[in-house]
Amino acid sequence: MNKVPLFLCLFLFISNFFSPSLSEKCNPQDKKVLLQIKKALNNPYLLASWDPKTDCCDWYCLECDLKTHRVIALTMFSDDRLTGQIPAQVGDLPYLETLLFRHLPNLNGTIQPSIAKLKNLKTLRLSWTNLSGPVPDFLSQLKNLTFLDLSFNNLSGSIPSSLSKLPNLLALHLDRNKLTGSIPESLGRFKGNVPDLYLSHNKLTGTIPASLGNLDFNTIDFSRNLLEGDASMLFGSNKTTWQIDISRNMFQFNLSKVEIPKSLSRLDLNHNKIFGSLPQALTGAELQFLNVSYNRMCGQIPVGGQLQSFDYSTYFHNRCLCGAPLESCK
Ligand SMILES: *[C@@H]1O[C@H](CO)[C@@H](O)[C@H](O)[C@H]1NC(C)=O
Ligand SMILES: *[C@@H]1O[C@H](CO)[C@@H](O)[C@H](O)[C@H]1NC(C)=O
Ligand SMILES: *[C@@H]1O[C@H](CO)[C@@H](O)[C@H](O)[C@H]1NC(C)=O
Ligand SMILES: *[C@@H]1O[C@H](CO)[C@@H](O)[C@H](O)[C@H]1NC(C)=O
Ligand SMILES: *[C@@H]1O[C@H](CO)[C@@H](O)[C@H](O)[C@H]1NC(C)=O
Ligand SMILES: *[C@@H]1O[C@H](CO)[C@@H](O)[C@H](O)[C@H]1NC(C)=O
Ligand SMILES: *[C@@H]1O[C@H](CO)[C@@H](O)[C@H](O)[C@H]1NC(C)=O
């Protein structure tokens, strides 16, 4: 008796395998485009499950909408053997909400212009690849984007000021590229959401536009660039900022006057030319991490809060900071 279900199972499997048309949910146009993408990438091993005889909604590296069965996510990651460029056909999957090419060291060329057609895109992650060329202006047309991650690539040129036109953006990751030029003034004019801004490990120059002071960021990471001048506008007692990292730049401003938000949890200022003294309000913040080393600060380290729980390397290499955990003030 218990052979019947096994037989049924086998039958269903075989019939499914040989006549996909009976039960295939995949949209035929999407399937055609996916097979073109596979071909354009030289049939990589990563896409071995993309067999034309099977339902494309069952293939790896993608996801279909449960109701419409249109392809809504294309996610290719972690394959050294995948070589070539992002195929133009990705722009012909009109219902895509997520496009991800990640940890693909041999993916090269520029950011594919046909991505501009993907008006439903919410998440675009092209990171840890060998993509080069500019951060394209057309990204500002993708009004539904909430998450834009172009980090860990070989992108060059400047940050397009049009990115501030993305009304729903929650996070912008342009870190670990070769971006030059200054931070556009427009980034202080995000309407609606204020995105987390990751611009670290580039070659950005100039000063931070004053307009950024108007925004209540959650996270700012401008570390390891060539930025200079004032960064005090990033702070403010009324903000709810959680993390500020401006380490390894050439910032030069008086920290004494800065208003520390109570919410501040991580503050990294190391390797700049920041002067003045540590504000008393640092003792009232919920600091988990602090590094102000290699600056030009003076005076007593305020006593209280978390400030004495950090070791001397948080404070060392300043002009004349003193008090615990450094040597006591004379
Ligand atoms: C990235 O591409 C450059 C040429 O554009 C090449 O020299 C380099 O080896 C590539 N890097 C990797 C990790 O493949
Ligand atoms: C991409 O890399 C291949 C070698 O892996 C190279 O032949 C080709 O010129 C590169 N293309 C671009 C646009 O860098
Ligand atoms: C954003 O996506 C919704 C569907 O999720 C769509 O109706 C709308 O047209 C998209 N917005 C834009 C600007 O294309
Ligand atoms: C970035 O591209 C340059 C050529 O534009 C190349 O020489 C270099 O190897 C690339 N870097 C990486 C990390 O692939
Ligand atoms: C902070 O908020 C309070 C109350 O909303 C306001 O009176 C004060 O001017 C604000 N301070 C700054 C520096 O914006
Ligand atoms: C920094 O600002 C404080 C407070 O306004 C002031 O007393 C101090 O002299 C300034 N430090 C320097 C080095 O300009
Ligand atoms: C602070 O930064 C300096 C310079 O990078 C480093 O040597 C030190 O270990 C750091 N200390 C902490 C506590 O992060």
Side-chain angles (χ1 to χ4, degrees):
M1 285 304 279
N2 58 3
K3 278 183 184 162
V4 175
L6 180 66
F7 168 76
L8 251 178
C9 217
L10 206 60
F11 172 76
L12 282 174
F13 174 76
I14 289 168
S15 65
N16 205 21
F17 194 79
F18 286 108
S19 50
S21 53
L22 287 180
S23 58
E24 175 143 358
K25 296 189 203 111
C26 177
N27 178 279
Q29 182 57 31
D30 286 352
K31 187 171 195 172
K32 192 176 132 205
V33 170
L34 290 167
L35 290 169
Q36 286 169 353
I37 290 171
K38 182 180 180 182
K39 190 170 173 227
L41 291 170
N42 302 310
N43 301 316
Y45 179 71
L46 187 66
L47 305 182
S49 68
W50 291 20
D51 177 346
K53 294 195 289 292
T54 59
D55 187 336
C56 82
C57 289
D58 294 335
W59 295 353
Y60 292 169
C61 305
L62 60 81
E63 192 187 324
C64 289
D65 182 84
L66 289 174
K67 287 200 188 103
T68 65
H69 308 302
R70 298 302 301 245
V71 174
I72 54 167
L74 187 62
T75 52
M76 299 194 196
F77 53 91
S78 302
D79 188 350
D80 293 357
R81 286 164 295 183
L82 188 141
T83 54
Q85 311 195 8
I86 298 176
Q89 291 90 343
V90 296
D92 300 328
L93 294 169
Y95 293 87
L96 272 193
E97 292 174 15
T98 300
L99 179 62
L100 178 148
F101 285 85
R102 205 149 190 260
H103 289 287
L104 303 168
N106 293 307
L107 185 75
N108 65 359
T110 57
I111 295 180
Q112 174 53 244
S114 71
I115 290 174
K117 292 193 271 179
L118 299 173
K119 300 296 183 205
N120 292 305
L121 217 51
K122 291 179 183 151
T123 297
L124 177 60
R125 300 190 80 171
L126 312 172
S127 69
W128 297 87
T129 73
N130 202 359
L131 289 173
S132 55
V135 175
D137 212 33
F138 69 72
L139 295 172
S140 65
Q141 297 165 25
L142 303 175
K143 302 292 185 205
N144 275 341
L145 272 189
T146 57
F147 193 84
L148 177 56
D149 178 7
L150 305 175
S151 63
F152 289 88
N153 292 305
N154 210 348
L155 302 175
S156 54
S158 56
I159 299 171
S161 64
S162 58
L163 291 182
S164 63
K165 292 184 197 158
L166 291 170
N168 298 306
L169 206 59
L170 297 174
L172 177 60
H173 293 253
L174 302 177
D175 46 305
R176 305 258 182 179
N177 279 291
K178 292 178 178 164
L179 301 176
T180 52
S182 53
I183 297 173
E185 192 269 337
S186 65
L187 290 197
R189 285 189 268 118
F190 273 102
K191 305 252 159 54
N193 297 314
V194 175
D196 291 343
L197 210 47
Y198 294 86
L199 306 179
S200 74
H201 294 81
N202 280 294
K203 295 173 178 170
L204 299 172
T205 51
T207 57
I208 299 179
S211 61
L212 264 68
N214 302 330
L215 299 181
D216 186 6
F217 289 97
N218 185 45
T219 292
I220 278 217
D221 186 354
F222 291 168
S223 63
R224 295 186 189 248
N225 279 289
L226 304 164
L227 297 165
E228 59 191 18
D230 189 13
S232 62
M233 79 294 271
L234 300 178
F235 299 83
S237 55
N238 285 358
K239 297 194 179 185
T240 58
T241 302
W242 179 73
Q243 166 161 261
I244 296 176
D245 186 350
I246 55 169
S247 63
R248 295 185 187 258
N249 279 283
M250 302 180 298
F251 288 116
Q252 199 163 10
F253 61 98
N254 187 340
L255 195 72
S256 324
K257 302 173 182 175
V258 157
E259 295 176 355
I260 302 293
K262 281 203 166 51
S263 54
L264 197 63
S265 178
R266 301 181 65 84
L267 178 61
D268 199 343
L269 306 176
N270 88 72
H271 283 97
N272 280 287
K273 299 173 183 171
I274 300 168
F275 56 90
S277 54
L278 289 173
Q280 183 67 34
L282 278 173
T283 61
E286 294 166 19
L287 282 182
Q288 287 167 18
F289 178 87
L290 178 70
N291 198 332
V292 300
S293 67
Y294 293 92
N295 277 292
R296 295 178 179 177
M297 283 185 274
C298 261
Q300 179 159 16
I301 297 169
V303 177
Q306 304 302 311
L307 296 191
Q308 277 64 45
S309 70
F310 303 121
D311 75 19
Y312 75 103
S313 76
T314 287
Y315 303 104
F316 69 172
H317 292 280
N318 271 285
R319 190 159 280 165
C320 48
L321 275 183
C322 59
L326 300 183
E327 282 179 26
S328 57
C329 303
K330 297 207 174 78

